[in-house]
Amino acid sequence: MKIIQFIKNWTLPTAMCIGALSYFVYVNIPALACTKPFVNQLINIIQPTLIFSMLYITFCKVDPKELRPTRWHLWLLLIQSLSFALLAGIIIIYPNLPGQVLIEGAMLCLICPTATAAAVVTGKLGGDAASLTSYTILINMTTALIVPIIIPLVHPHPELTFGISFSLILGKVFPLLFCPFLAAVLTRYFLPTFHKFILQCKDLAFYLWAVALAIAIGVTVKSIVHSDVSYGYQLGLAGVSLLSCAIQFWLGRRIGIKHHDPISAAQALGQKNTVFAIWMGYTFLTPVTAIAGGFYSVWHNIYNSYQLYQKRKQETTA
């Protein structure tokens, strides 16, 4: 019982450790080498399925009538958009600037949309999941518009026009964001009995996310281990992603306090869709910048674990 309680209390750190250890154990068993192609395909199926299920359950608990823009949404959109544009401007003005990869890594960490799991964590921390969901939709659409406009100025790709880039990004976010939302809305109105059953599954979305997190950490460790980037640049990208994570959580909370929603605003700006960041690095920027997204995944989940610990501590002493 103590072990089960420990896992419940420390779900995120446990998932992260399991994900990292599973990777190292798996790659060091020679007999499993032939299964690698199959495992890669399996992960490509399981991970989006888990995310879809997690979001579907979360969206079922959000009343569509509560989805509306707020003032802190605008401030956070401006922060992400302008900081991304500012760093891009530095690279455009100084194209041969040393450490350009580090600036590109920061760009990824700043413009990256809110994590699909952020609504789950926000709910666990006592924030407004509906407001967080509204921002998640807004920042995904903003990213789809801004990235195709600015990235060609930093990294020209003749074959990646605005329309193609927009379609690529939209194709990446639409199935795993809007489809579960639409399914949740249809369930609410046409399958009320099943919707009521979903509402009774209190922590199911959280534990689905824990499984998805373990897989994501395993994939992150793989990308870092197999990277041919020097240790100096890896440490630099780790530092850049850590600084970006700390600043965004801090700014989100400060803005949220002014608008009476500190938890939701902090999670909206600080918790990122790092799988999407890694994909953007490989697709639009220098591929090594994807490492920044991998490290960011570690930092924001460590901070989320700390927040959940503090929340649990407050509930125990209350």
Side-chain angles (χ1 to χ4, degrees):
M1 292 298 293
K2 289 184 178 180
I3 294 176
I4 295 175
Q5 189 60 44
F6 175 84
I7 293 174
K8 286 183 177 180
N9 291 340
W10 299 98
T11 303
L12 300 192
T14 302
M16 293 173 69
C17 291
I18 290 175
L21 289 174
S22 296
Y23 168 76
F24 287 114
V25 171
Y26 175 73
V27 298
N28 284 288
I29 299 178
L32 297 178
C34 60
T35 66
K36 289 181 180 179
F38 171 75
V39 170
N40 288 331
Q41 292 179 3
L42 190 63
I43 288 175
N44 290 335
I45 295 173
I46 292 177
Q47 195 170 37
T49 301
L50 285 171
I51 294 174
F52 184 97
S53 302
M54 173 193 67
L55 282 178
Y56 170 72
I57 295 170
T58 302
F59 290 157
C60 278
K61 299 178 181 180
V62 174
D63 189 341
K65 296 177 182 178
E66 297 177 356
L67 298 178
R68 55 184 181 274
T70 64
R71 289 186 177 181
W72 67 258
H73 288 166
L74 177 60
W75 282 110
L76 266 57
L77 289 172
L78 286 173
I79 288 172
Q80 290 197 243
S81 303
L82 293 179
S83 60
F84 178 73
L86 178 63
L87 292 179
I90 294 174
I91 294 177
I92 294 168
I93 296 172
Y94 304 101
N96 298 317
L97 188 68
Q100 180 174 325
V101 168
L102 301 182
I103 298 176
E104 292 182 13
M107 289 172 62
L108 279 181
C109 295
L110 291 168
I111 196 59
C112 184
T114 305
T116 50
V120 179
V121 181
T122 299
K124 293 285 286 185
L125 293 173
D128 187 347
S131 186
L132 188 283
T133 301
S134 298
Y135 184 77
T136 302
I137 295 172
L138 290 172
I139 188 56
N140 273 280
M141 295 305 300
T142 301
T143 301
L145 288 171
I146 289 180
V147 170
I149 294 173
I150 293 181
I151 286 298
L153 302 176
V154 178
H155 271 272
H157 292 284
E159 68 280 5
L160 289 178
T161 63
F162 173 83
I164 293 175
S165 300
F166 178 80
S167 300
L168 284 173
I169 295 175
L170 205 61
K172 199 74 175 177
V173 302
F174 184 86
L176 291 182
L177 181 65
F178 296 102
C179 288
F181 175 75
L182 179 61
V185 172
L186 293 175
T187 301
R188 174 183 289 271
Y189 290 108
F190 295 106
L191 297 171
T193 303
F194 184 67
H195 180 260
K196 185 178 180 180
F197 169 76
I198 293 294
L199 295 180
Q200 295 173 349
C201 300
K202 185 179 178 182
D203 291 324
L204 179 57
F206 181 72
Y207 292 119
L208 285 175
W209 176 49
V211 177
L213 174 60
I215 295 174
I217 291 296
V219 173
T220 297
V221 170
K222 176 186 176 182
S223 66
I224 294 173
V225 169
H226 288 276
S227 173
D228 56 359
V229 183
S230 67
Y231 289 119
Y233 267 118
Q234 288 197 34
L235 287 173
L237 289 168
V240 164
S241 61
L242 177 59
L243 182 62
S244 300
C245 183
I247 290 174
Q248 289 183 101
F249 268 112
W250 181 80
L251 278 176
R253 184 167 294 276
R254 296 301 302 174
I255 292 171
I257 288 173
K258 291 183 179 181
H259 297 280
H260 312 291
D261 198 2
I263 295 174
S264 304
Q267 294 305 128
L269 191 58
Q271 189 174 346
K272 302 291 189 180
N273 184 349
T274 52
V275 174
F276 184 74
I278 292 170
W279 173 78
M280 278 203 301
Y282 279 119
T283 306
F284 299 108
L285 294 171
T286 307
V288 299
T289 57
I291 295 176
F295 279 114
Y296 198 105
S297 176
V298 176
W299 307 139
H300 78 182
N301 281 300
I302 289 175
Y303 183 63
N304 281 336
S305 301
Y306 171 75
Q307 290 188 102
L308 290 169
Y309 164 73
Q310 289 293 328
K311 177 68 174 177
R312 189 168 60 253
K313 188 176 178 182
Q314 291 174 4
E315 292 173 348
T316 303
T317 56

